[in-house]
Amino acid sequence: MRGTTWTRLALAGGASAACLLVAAPLASAQTAPITLSPEESQQVCADWVPKLQKRAANLEKRINGGPEVKGSVANLKARAAGQRAAGHTARADQLDQRATKRQGRVGELNTAKQKLAAFAAAHCQPAK
């Protein structure tokens, strides 16, 4: 039994060392600015910007939805109240933590929407 424990520890240590050796060059690589051709820029503006804007709007709508909207903060809080009433306090606490974390994502989502709007304003102007 002791041999398998040491073998598992050795394998885990070896795997960790291998991951560090692979990740070290990637972490130290310098990132260069990305330049797009006018055609690529138009494709980003035509395809990706609208998709990302729609996705952000849908996420915001879902997070801020009522108790009937699956995954909304209100839904998670209602589920937590139901679990607490049933005597499942551990599960209720988990749901409350998820609701708090999801509510915190609204600020990140608004920042992302602002960055996307700024990109669209700067780079997605129609050709004159």
Side-chain angles (χ1 to χ4, degrees):
M1 198 67 157
R2 287 180 76 180
T4 53
T5 303
W6 286 107
T7 304
R8 288 182 185 167
L9 286 174
L11 287 173
S16 298
C19 288
L20 288 174
L21 288 174
V22 170
L26 296 175
S28 66
Q30 297 294 324
T31 57
I34 298 172
T35 55
L36 299 175
S37 69
E39 295 81 24
E40 292 170 329
S41 180
Q42 284 304 109
Q43 183 181 8
V44 168
C45 290
D47 295 339
W48 286 99
V49 170
K51 286 179 186 178
L52 291 172
Q53 288 172 333
K54 182 178 179 185
R55 186 172 180 175
N58 288 342
L59 282 172
E60 186 175 25
K61 185 176 164 184
R62 178 180 175 197
I63 289 172
N64 294 327
E68 71 282 350
V69 177
K70 186 176 180 179
S72 69
V73 173
N75 178 268
L76 289 170
K77 287 182 179 181
R79 288 174 51 199
Q83 291 295 317
R84 195 166 278 111
H88 305 291
T89 56
R91 181 65 180 143
D93 291 341
Q94 288 176 340
L95 289 168
D96 282 334
Q97 288 174 354
R98 283 177 57 191
T100 302
K101 185 176 181 180
R102 187 148 308 154
Q103 185 64 43
R105 298 284 186 191
V106 172
E108 295 173 16
L109 185 58
N110 287 334
T111 302
K113 286 170 50 177
Q114 289 172 354
K115 288 181 180 180
L116 189 57
F119 176 84
H123 301 290
C124 296
Q125 299 300 323
K128 293 182 181 179

